[in-house]
Amino acid sequence: MSNSHQTRAQQLIGDFAPKLVDLTDSVLFGDVWERSELSPRDRSLITVASLVTSGSTDQLRGHLARAKANGLTETELKEAIIHLAFYAGWPKAMSAITVAREIFTA
């Protein structure tokens, strides 16, 4: 889309989506998975927390399975998700709990 066809807001923001993806990949996920002082359990918990608050249930499936493989229990994950409900909102938290149940019953 050329600048002449963009709204004023679009012109000011620019192409934000790729910038956000880069920021998330390199700062959040890249940083979390490269920090040697974090255990695999901590890394999984941080990643799951981020995905819960963003409502990314599709990505959450794989990361919950990884969290399970890294030793986190269903109870620990559900407690963390419930604590996040106050920040993420109850609909996102309940969706995450539903996904967690699916992962742990599989």
Side-chain angles (χ1 to χ4, degrees), residues 30-101:
D31 182 55
V32 166
W33 287 101
E34 291 176 8
R35 294 173 80 186
S36 59
E37 71 272 14
L38 295 173
S39 71
R41 287 173 51 98
D42 291 343
R43 292 174 185 165
S44 285
L45 193 55
I46 292 166
T47 304
V48 166
S50 174
L51 293 172
V52 169
T53 57
S54 69
S56 303
T57 52
D58 288 339
Q59 289 179 306
L60 190 57
R61 291 179 200 291
H63 286 284
L64 281 169
R66 179 181 272 179
K68 179 181 176 182
N70 285 337
L72 285 156
T73 67
E74 181 178 10
T75 301
E76 289 172 317
L77 286 166
K78 284 182 181 177
E79 286 175 1
I81 291 167
I82 289 170
H83 285 290
L84 288 168
F86 296 101
Y87 304 99
W90 285 102
K92 289 178 185 175
M94 295 313 296
S95 293
I97 286 176
T98 300
V99 173
R101 282 187 188 137

